[in-house]
Amino acid sequence: MSSKPTVLFVCVHNAGRSQMAAGWLRHLAGDTVEVRSAGSEPANEINPVAVEAMREVGIDIIGQIPAKLTWDTAEASDVIITMGCGDACPIFPGKRYEDWKLTDPAGRPLAVVRQVRDDIRARVQKLVDTLRT
């Protein structure tokens, strides 16, 4: 990994879990990590309940736009984290892969999305700790 690792969060629609994870990583790691997120079938917009849950903790993800997962994006990333949604990512030697089993916040009430948000925060904090070692 370079001195500034690149982390890619992937879920199908790139509208909830992956966007919350990217928001947390930007918040917790600042500019020490390049953060990306993408989906195999990106939605038209970010899940508004995910936006609200993140806003509650002072993180604004409303300006993020769901993006299509591309081969180049995956190849240029050091760490690729899928959000437990069965997405198939291209496999490149030397990359670090993780699959986080997370509840899909789509269509869920704010109380459930808060739990997902907090679970993601804990996982991202562990990720940040490993990137610094």
Side-chain angles (χ1 to χ4, degrees):
M1 257 186 266
S2 67
S3 61
K4 185 174 181 175
T6 301
V7 176
L8 170 63
F9 294 103
V10 181
C11 69
V12 174
H13 300 296
N14 189 223
R17 293 169 288 192
S18 56
Q19 292 289 351
M20 288 191 289
W24 274 121
L25 186 55
R26 287 183 191 99
H27 178 77
L28 295 170
D31 64 359
T32 65
V33 176
E34 185 175 337
V35 182
R36 300 175 176 163
S37 68
S40 57
E41 298 174 25
N44 292 326
E45 64 183 10
I46 301 294
N47 177 336
V49 182
V51 170
E52 177 60 27
M54 293 300 284
R55 184 179 292 132
E56 290 178 350
V57 294
I59 299 172
D60 184 7
I61 62 170
I62 198 160
Q64 300 302 312
I65 299 170
K68 177 80 173 160
L69 175 64
T70 66
W71 181 273
D72 292 341
T73 300
E75 185 177 35
S77 299
D78 299 305
V79 180
I80 299 173
I81 299 174
T82 57
M83 303 280 118
C85 49
D87 238 19
C89 289
I91 302 296
F92 298 98
K95 305 287 180 200
R96 175 177 161 190
Y97 292 89
E98 293 184 21
D99 182 42
W100 294 354
K101 305 287 186 211
L102 297 162
T103 300
D104 186 349
R108 302 293 177 108
L110 183 56
V112 172
V113 178
R114 285 179 181 132
Q115 292 171 347
V116 175
R117 173 200 67 202
D118 295 346
D119 185 6
I120 292 171
R121 185 200 187 287
R123 292 169 188 255
V124 169
Q125 184 59 65
K126 288 179 185 174
L127 174 67
V128 169
D129 293 344
T130 65
L131 293 174
R132 290 182 177 155
T133 58

